[in-house]
Amino acid sequence: MAWRCWARAAGPRPHRLALLLLQPRRGFRRARPRPEEPPAAAAEARPVPPPRRSLCPPSPTAAAGRPSPRRLLKPLLFAVGFTGSAFGSAAIWQYESLKSRVQTYFEEARADWMDRMRPQKRGDFRKQVNSWWNNLTEGQRTVTGIIAANVFVFCLWRLPGMRRIMFTYFTSNPSSRALCSPMLLSTFSHFSLFHMAANMYVLWSFSSSIVSLLGCEQFIAVYLSAGVISTFVSYVAKMATGRFEPSLGASGAIMTVLAAVCTKMPEAKLAIILLPMFTFTAGSALKAIIAFDTAGLALGWRLFDHAAHLGGALFGMWYVTYGHELIWKNREPLVKAWHEMRTKNTGKGGGGRSN
């Protein structure tokens, strides 16, 4: 049903690429007439909905009428404001992390010394978990929280009482009652287990490269902003085409990660897992993905949300080429203001305690 490509990069540290172009169109199962009713009467009594696809939940009946394009103003302001807040918070987070790193160094050294002094327990589950965690790369540790959030939201979809809330706030649609919060929440929403597993596999596979490229704090800001921006691009495309279909999934944000890595390392060799003898460069793979989604958007293919994929890919390409210099390199005034405010508050608190 869904096109997918499983690949890995050739080299000492291969990348494994698994793309799931998601966000299928909504639908219902065709209603069957009751045994006591004639087929013709049942057809007249009930409208015949389109068939339902397993990757997307059944949606409530859409409201009649086409929404006004002015509804895009609020999502636009939300996308701009959220992106600025995400990068501002990431800059402050990085400042606090660097400041606390020296303070925690001695505490960690003392904890390691005490662990060596304690008698070791064989089969200690906590020790095994810590060993597994310490063997992960920084990127893998960073995306663990994102994966856990996706698993939690997936479990919420399984609760029948939560279905209407999940559809309202965890699927994005410009004709929906909720416009802004689904732009972020739908990035963590998956209705199908296969859908979620494939997307999280892609994120896990490329986590080491993207975090080593951007750093933990900057990556989180880029990932969250990419989810909101790609959803806004999807809103624009749906308003332009008049196809108001709900979307969900992390594809837009993951496309940003893929595009950023492929743009920064275009000569990296990729290979399909089942066909390892055929290799291609990351730059060629990115061009093929963009061409596929562009054709899908131009030809009106409705299986995937091609606009969201394109929005995420273009944002990833733009950020590693220009956005990093324009946004992240100019965070110094904000960090300086935060440092001065924090130092001033610390001084006041210290003076109060000394008296």
Side-chain angles (χ1 to χ4, degrees), residues 175-190:
S175 64
S176 176
R177 176 171 56 89
L179 286 176
C180 295
S181 55
M183 296 175 69
L184 176 64
L185 297 179
S186 63
T187 306
F188 298 89
S189 180
H190 299 84

Side-chain angles (χ1 to χ4, degrees), residues 254-291:
I254 290 176
M255 286 294 292
T256 296
V257 173
L258 296 177
V261 173
C262 292
T263 301
K264 207 66 178 178
M265 298 181 292
E267 300 302 324
K269 293 294 183 180
L270 303 179
I272 301 175
I273 290 179
L274 299 179
L275 299 172
M277 68 289 300
F278 298 103
T279 61
F280 47 89
T281 63
S284 300
L286 180 59
K287 293 176 182 177
I289 293 172
I290 293 177

